[in-house]
Amino acid sequence: MKRWMQHTWVKIIAVALSLSLIAAAVALVLTGTTEPLRGVGETVSRPFSRFFSLVTDKLRQGGDYLKGVQALQEENRALEQEVAQLRRAARAGDLATEENARLRSLLELQETGQDLTFTAAWVVARAPDNWKGEVTLDQGTDQGIQAGQCVVDEHGALVGRVKEVGASWANVTLLWDPGFQMAGQGTKSGVLGSLEGSLDLLSRGELALACLTEADPVSLGEEVVTFAAQGVYPSGLVVGTVMSLEEDPGGLTRSAILTPAADLNTLSQVFVVTAFWEER
Amino acid sequence: MGRLRLYLITALAFLLEVLVLLWFPVAGVRPRVLPPLVCLVGVEQGPDRGAECGFFGGILCYLAGATPWQMALLALLGGLSGVIFHKASSFWGKWLTCLAALAGLEVLLVLGHCLAGASVFAGLRIAGPELLLSAACFPLAVLLTRLKGHPRRKRKGW
């Protein structure tokens, strides 16, 4: 045993293991805040990450152009925007809103509404790990970003939440990361559940609306949005669409498997909800 | 291989992985060139250099946002590759030994996530493609270690 310990490579591995344990313990203690070493690393690497993300973005665009899909992508984008607008209009329900307003005025109730403030940010890096779903943005506390804030794409679909933040960068946990968790609600059935990522769903690019009972009337194709009872984050942000229903291992509850509305594989520019006002 | 050259090659592999390869996923999994490089250094240069290369690469990955266990895992990969597979001499022999070492790493990762509550099949669904893609990046790792065109130095006995 003593002879083994004298080898240099054993000492290196022992040091590496000790540092890993210390770093893991620090990460547990400093949840939501920046670990000092990683903060320095992110700050130093951000300009290079931004440059290379622009380059790879351009390369990807160039490749797509050569394949002749550029025009198709633009048309698709336009159609996606139109669909998003139509869905927003449907959700808002102009007629229902007017009727609601009339009834509220009759009952002398206050008006409801929501106002969101966004900060635009570019995705400059992804976590160098296939076992997590995280990205790094090029904006941080200097631009008003804080841990726990929601991040959406250009259509307003939820992308994830800010996990940790530095002065000029922020790490975002994507929807399908095993550590992701939020409350969600079906738009049609009104069912409440827990939006969760998992390792199993990470490989499939999906997430789950968990803790549903057999009696909950969730249907396939139903849209799911965020729900916040105490205003910790904004409600009504589109999360995804129910693709299937699965029984949980215990058999007492079931989960609705969702396909995210945002395309998390090709993120380039996102928007952080830095402030919101809503009244119900 | 001198220490400075080792660190430069490791940093170059890390930059290639983080700034280029991560943006081009294959079947939802991103290729990694650092683990096969660490294996190769361990097999060619011995366990000391392999562990050093893995430790340095793990530090860079941790600073870039990976879990802190990357430091220990990559150092272990480099060290054990040099101890167990030091007899590989041909290109294909080194490729096979790297594949075996990377398979061991993926088994450790799957076990770690199983202990955290994930199912084995969920882990295998990520570990399988990751192993194949890392093995496919082995020629790239060989290219990085041959950058200056100098022939490989004879590995010193350990």
Side-chain angles (χ1 to χ4, degrees):
Chain A
M1 182 71 180
K2 272 189 181 175
R3 287 184 68 184
W4 271 93
M5 294 299 291
Q6 286 169 0
H7 290 299
T8 308
W9 62 275
V10 175
K11 291 175 190 171
I12 292 172
I13 291 170
V15 168
L17 195 59
S18 309
L19 277 179
S20 299
L21 283 166
I22 292 167
V26 168
L28 271 174
V29 169
L30 295 177
T31 311
T33 58
T34 319
E35 296 163 43
L37 267 179
R38 185 170 301 180
V40 170
E42 293 279 6
T43 305
V44 167
S45 65
R46 193 178 59 79
F48 306 101
S49 304
R50 179 76 191 103
F51 172 72
F52 276 97
S53 74
L54 278 174
V55 170
T56 50
D57 212 30
K58 290 295 175 194
L59 281 173
R60 246 206 314 264
Q61 284 180 13
D64 290 340
Y65 180 77
L66 288 173
K67 287 179 195 170
V69 296
Q70 183 99 5
L72 284 171
Q73 277 186 334
E74 284 173 11
E75 187 186 349
N76 194 33
R77 225 173 279 133
L79 285 170
E80 277 177 353
Q81 281 181 350
E82 193 181 339
V83 167
Q85 284 170 5
L86 288 169
R87 281 198 176 132
R88 275 198 295 273
R91 278 198 303 275
D94 292 333
L95 289 172
T97 303
E98 285 178 19
E99 186 180 357
N100 187 274
R102 280 198 300 273
L103 289 170
R104 282 181 176 275
S105 68
L106 280 173
L107 293 169
E108 294 179 358
L109 293 174
Q110 275 187 314
E111 287 287 331
T112 63
Q114 188 185 60
D115 187 26
L116 305 175
T117 304
F118 298 101
T119 296
W122 289 94
V123 175
V124 295
R126 288 185 173 265
D129 197 338
N130 284 310
W131 302 79
K132 295 196 311 187
E134 287 183 8
V135 295
T136 303
L137 309 182
D138 66 345
Q139 306 289 320
T141 52
D142 289 350
Q143 288 78 30
I145 293 177
Q146 294 170 11
Q149 289 175 339
C150 290
V151 182
V152 299
D153 67 0
E154 65 269 26
H155 304 306
L158 187 69
V159 163
R161 291 183 79 179
V162 177
K163 181 185 171 188
E164 50 183 0
V165 60
S168 57
W169 58 271
N171 275 349
V172 175
T173 302
L174 299 178
L175 290 180
W176 55 36
D177 183 272
F180 180 83
Q181 198 166 35
M182 275 178 94
Q185 184 178 33
T187 53
K188 214 182 284 182
S189 58
V191 163
L192 293 175
S194 173
L195 290 164
E196 299 173 353
S198 73
L199 203 61
D200 189 28
L201 298 174
L202 174 67
S203 57
R204 289 150 51 180
E206 296 169 334
L207 74 157
L209 181 68
C211 304
L212 305 176
T213 64
E214 288 293 330
D216 287 327
V218 182
S219 54
L220 297 182
E222 183 175 354
E223 212 168 49
V224 175
V225 297
T226 57
F227 176 81
Q230 297 183 357
V232 176
Y233 44 82
S235 298
L237 298 177
V238 176
V239 177
T241 309
V242 176
M243 300 307 289
S244 63
L245 296 163
E246 290 179 0
E247 291 282 335
D248 291 339
L252 296 174
T253 56
R254 57 179 186 159
S255 301
I257 306 302
L258 314 179
T259 298
D263 186 356
L264 302 182
N265 278 317
T266 58
L267 292 172
S268 55
Q269 188 179 34
V270 295
F271 302 86
V272 184
V273 181
T274 48
F276 67 96
W277 168 88
E278 58 183 15
E279 197 161 350
R280 301 190 202 134
Chain B
M1 188 188 290
R3 194 165 264 136
L4 180 63
R5 186 160 175 249
L6 176 71
Y7 290 157
L8 282 174
I9 287 171
T10 308
L12 191 60
F14 166 75
L15 288 173
L16 185 66
E17 185 175 294
V18 167
L19 298 179
V20 179
L21 293 179
L22 280 185
W23 297 97
F24 299 100
V26 176
V29 176
R30 287 159 177 81
R32 297 199 66 190
V33 72
L34 207 47
L37 176 75
V38 168
C39 280
L40 183 64
V41 170
V43 168
E44 286 189 339
Q45 305 288 329
D48 293 349
R49 282 281 188 263
E52 219 173 307
C53 177
F55 186 29
F56 182 61
I59 289 174
L60 293 175
C61 287
Y62 169 62
L63 291 177
T67 63
W69 300 108
Q70 287 281 323
M71 291 187 275
L73 285 172
L74 288 176
L76 194 65
L77 180 70
L80 290 181
S81 295
V83 170
I84 299 170
F85 301 116
H86 62 280
K87 288 187 178 172
S89 54
S90 69
F91 175 82
W92 298 109
K94 287 173 197 170
W95 201 338
L96 278 173
T97 56
C98 278
L99 187 65
L102 290 170
L105 175 69
E106 296 298 336
V107 166
L108 279 177
L109 284 170
V110 171
L111 278 173
H113 283 90
C114 285
L115 285 172
S119 73
V120 175
F121 295 111
L124 288 175
R125 212 173 280 147
I126 296 175
E130 190 176 65
L131 170 64
L132 293 174
L133 283 174
S134 296
C137 287
F138 178 79
L140 192 56
V142 172
L143 199 65
L144 284 170
T145 58
R146 307 282 187 268
L147 266 179
K148 280 190 177 178
H150 290 172
R152 178 178 60 83
R153 283 190 208 165
K154 277 192 179 174
R155 185 168 51 83
K156 292 179 185 175
W158 56 274

